[in-house]
Structure formats: C-alpha cells, structure tokens
Amino acid sequence: MPKLGNVRRFYVGADKAWLAGEQNNSFNRTANPIEVTDKSVVWQQFISGVRGATASVTVYADDTTGLPQATLLASWAEGQKVQCFVGELDTSGTDPVIVSGDAFEAIITSISDTNNNNEVASRDIQLTVSGVVTHYNETV
C-alpha cells in the first residue's frame, strides 16, 4: 500500500532514534553492470554485479548533546560506521518494531550545513552503505 513520505523516516543507532527535524530522506540501491557481450551479437549484454547503496537525509540543524545529530557528527569526525534504518517503525510499545524499510551500516561521506538569512539552519547528511542491506517487507 502506498505511504506518505512522512511515514518513512530516517533512524540512527541500535535503538533506532529518529532524526528530529527531518525534512526529507532518500535511499538509493545500485548494482554495477558487468558486460558479458560476445562477438555473436550486436547489442551489449550485462549481468548484475556488486551491489551497493547510498542514503541522504536533510534535517534542521541541532547540535544538542545526546541527540542523534550529535552522534552522527561524532561518527563522521571519528570515521566510525553508523547503524541506520530508513522506513516505518511501530513505536506504540516500549521498543520500536520494524514495519517495513531498509536497515544497514554506513559511513558518513559528507555533512553540509546551510545557514540562510531568515531561515532555519539545515543540515544535509550523505552516507555510503558498507555491507549488506536488509530489506523488511510490510506484513499485511
């Protein structure tokens, strides 16, 4: 069933803390093409090769200690991987339960702050997945 974008959020860490002030996120899956064309054909042929993924999230900038943004800034500074989840969680109980989405570990490749006059400061965070992506389908 189609979902509104505000339902599929970006979460960080083992406890799946939501990045408060999130404006948008994206998750992009890739597969490197491997050419397997031989001399008997005139059109290139490919098979799917190594897979990868990238993610990005834009939030209102907030450096408050203890918030997930501070954790991401520290992880970037220390070159550490971060656990991420992009999707929908059921947070009605004591622990969040995955409804649907993608879980992965990533390195932060860039953090860009934008500070426009008379606007709320925003932060764009780019990540590259390191390892396997686990996809969770919604159960009906």
Side-chain angles (χ1 to χ4, degrees):
M1 173 185 280
K3 302 274 182 177
L4 291 175
N6 63 339
V7 173
R8 298 183 54 82
R9 295 180 174 178
F10 195 99
Y11 300 89
V12 177
D15 60 348
K16 295 182 181 55
W18 177 55
L19 286 174
E22 178 183 347
Q23 297 304 297
N24 60 62
N25 71 63
S26 68
F27 184 67
N28 309 296
R29 299 163 195 85
T30 61
N32 293 342
I34 300 172
E35 186 177 1
V36 294
T37 309
D38 65 24
K39 293 181 180 184
S40 67
V41 297
V42 295
W43 289 96
Q44 290 179 311
Q45 297 176 345
F46 295 89
I47 61 172
S48 184
V50 176
R51 279 126 182 102
T54 59
S56 68
V57 60
T58 302
V59 294
Y60 290 134
D62 187 347
D63 292 335
T64 306
T65 302
L67 290 181
Q69 285 187 48
T71 300
L72 290 176
L73 287 164
S75 296
W76 171 82
E78 297 166 9
Q80 296 178 339
K81 293 180 184 175
V82 292
Q83 292 179 326
C84 303
F85 177 76
V86 176
E88 181 180 1
L89 294 180
D90 177 353
T91 56
S92 61
T94 55
D95 293 321
V97 176
I98 293 173
V99 175
S100 65
D102 295 283
F104 53 92
E105 276 193 331
I107 60 167
I108 300 167
T109 55
S110 74
I111 300 176
S112 304
D113 288 4
T114 302
N115 306 295
N116 292 328
N117 188 36
N118 290 321
E119 292 182 18
V120 175
S122 64
R123 178 169 287 146
D124 185 53
I125 303 165
Q126 301 291 318
L127 305 102
T128 298
V129 173
S130 178
V132 175
V133 173
T134 303
H135 180 71
Y136 296 90
N137 291 320
E138 185 170 358
T139 56
V140 181

